[in-house]
């Protein structure tokens, strides 16, 4: 499990408030002001972390509704009619996305934790009372998933510059396939 954005933001905020700002030279007002701006932004990001998809989904749905309303306008000239056709195509592309329910990050994370606990339970049960062939298959499946998770985490943190072989890692969109 990787530290989620909210935890990382809160850690940075705490470091700024408890360690970095107190260590700044009291005479360096520009540095103190910039640090306070950083603290304010970290607080905003922490507050908004669980709502960014919801925010963009609201925008997507509202702009799609506005575009549909504008297309429905009865008095349209030739150029407008050509643009309306392109806009209708765009709305058809957006429609399946706009219809998707977007879970809150906290709900999604809670479900992931529940699934992990269920996997742990089944792995332990298979170890205790499963036949040897069944246990080997369970372990093989868990190890396959762990390898995929490990790769995802390495890619996720590649920008931190800590991976021993960063050039061997695929792009994020290759490991974050939905």
């Amino acid at each position: 499990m990787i530290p989620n954005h909210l935890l990382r933001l809160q850690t940075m905020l705490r470091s700024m408030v408890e360690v970095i700002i107190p260590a700044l030279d009291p005479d360096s007002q520009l540095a103190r002001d910039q640090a306070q701006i950083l603290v304010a932004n970290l607080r905003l990001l922490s507050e908004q972390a669980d709502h960014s998809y919801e925010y963009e989904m609201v925008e997507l749905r509202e702009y799609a509704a506005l575009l549909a309303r504008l297309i429905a306008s009865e008095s349209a000239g030739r150029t407008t009619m050509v643009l309306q056709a392109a806009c209708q195509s765009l709305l058809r592309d957006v429609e399946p996305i706009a219809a998707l329910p977007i879970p809150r990050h906290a709900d999604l994370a809670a479900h992931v934790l529940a699934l992990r606990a269920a996997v742990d339970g089944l792995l332990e049960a298979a170890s205790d009372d499963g036949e040897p062939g069944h246990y080997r298959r369970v372990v093989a499946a868990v190890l396959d998933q762990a390898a995929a998770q490990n790769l995802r985490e390495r890619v996720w943190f590649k920008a931190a510059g800590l991976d021993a072989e960063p050039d061997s890692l695929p792009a994020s969109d290759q490991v974050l396939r939905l």
Side-chain angles (χ1 to χ4, degrees):
M1 180 172 100
I2 63 170
N4 67 36
H5 286 85
L6 184 57
L7 177 62
R8 290 163 49 198
L9 288 166
Q10 290 169 340
T11 300
M12 289 185 279
L13 183 59
R14 186 174 179 187
S15 292
M16 286 295 297
V17 171
E18 294 180 9
V19 178
I20 297 171
I21 292 175
L24 291 175
D25 182 352
D27 294 330
S28 182
Q29 191 58 45
L30 180 60
R32 297 183 79 68
D33 290 345
Q34 291 300 306
Q36 290 300 331
I37 290 171
L38 184 57
V39 165
N41 277 291
L42 288 170
R43 283 192 176 122
L44 275 173
L45 288 169
S46 293
E47 211 174 279
Q48 298 165 349
D50 198 27
H51 301 288
S52 62
Y53 283 117
E54 292 166 340
Y55 188 98
E56 289 193 43
M57 187 61 89
V58 167
E59 279 193 314
L60 177 80
R61 290 174 178 159
E62 286 181 357
Y63 276 104
L66 175 59
L67 189 57
R69 229 173 112 195
L70 295 176
I71 289 172
S73 173
E74 292 182 22
S75 59
R78 184 175 178 190
T79 304
T80 303
M81 290 174 65
V82 169
L83 284 173
Q84 284 176 335
C87 290
Q88 286 172 335
S89 175
L90 176 59
L91 283 176
R92 282 190 298 276
D93 291 344
V94 168
E95 189 175 295
I97 296 168
L100 290 173
I102 299 296
R104 291 184 56 240
H105 184 263
D107 296 336
L108 185 60
H111 287 303
V112 169
L113 286 175
L115 289 169
R116 286 181 180 180
V119 166
D120 288 347
L122 283 176
L123 181 59
E124 187 175 324
S127 171
D128 290 343
D129 66 8
E131 64 177 60
H134 172 72
Y135 180 66
R136 281 193 299 275
R137 289 188 298 276
V138 168
V139 168
V142 169
L143 289 175
D144 286 347
Q145 192 281 330
Q149 179 70 21
N150 183 317
L151 178 62
R152 239 185 336 274
E153 289 180 10
R154 287 179 60 211
V155 169
W156 191 250
F157 288 105
K158 178 181 177 179
L162 302 173
D163 197 272
E165 299 175 1
D167 295 335
S168 71
L169 297 174
S172 292
D173 57 352
Q174 291 177 305
V175 296
L176 296 177
R177 61 199 183 289
L178 294 174

